[in-house]
Amino acid sequence: MSRFYALINSTGIQEVEATEMPTVPEIQKLVGIPGEEAFFEGVYQRYSDLSIAILCDDNFLMKACQPTLLTPDGITLQGQLLIVALDTQIEDFCLLTQKQLEIVKKESKVYPLTPR
């Protein structure tokens, strides 16, 4: 069964097929601005599948990142975002299933906002 993570940025939603979850340093690079240190934080329970998690740079406001995503419940997030899932059995992040990836693509509104 294929597993994925999604990157959301100013170019849209990019789905990445993966065999393992990115490491912490890889996540920091994925959500950060090139050349700047980045720490990430999770944004939870924003999609219809509550196990989907959004990882973003925890300093996106101070770094003046542009708006990237309007979550299904109306929260605006900025900068490059990494979308993964939560595995409650191991209490850690994991890759998305195909079904979860489809939920992300269907429910995400990427800036600039366009009607669906």
Side-chain angles (χ1 to χ4, degrees), residues 29-65:
K29 286 181 183 177
L30 288 169
V31 301
I33 296 170
E36 291 189 28
E37 185 175 57
F39 296 97
F40 64 92
E41 69 175 302
V43 180
Y44 306 100
Q45 299 183 343
R46 301 295 176 200
Y47 289 93
S48 60
D49 179 334
L50 299 180
S51 67
I52 295 172
I54 306 166
L55 304 180
C56 62
D57 186 330
D58 69 350
N59 287 319
F60 67 78
L61 290 175
M62 290 190 290
K63 293 180 180 179
C65 295

Side-chain angles (χ1 to χ4, degrees), residues 63-83:
K63 293 180 180 179
C65 295
Q66 295 299 309
T68 306
L69 173 70
L70 182 65
T71 65
D73 62 343
I75 304 295
T76 299
L77 296 174
Q78 296 163 283
Q80 182 147 291
L81 309 170
L82 177 65
I83 314 297

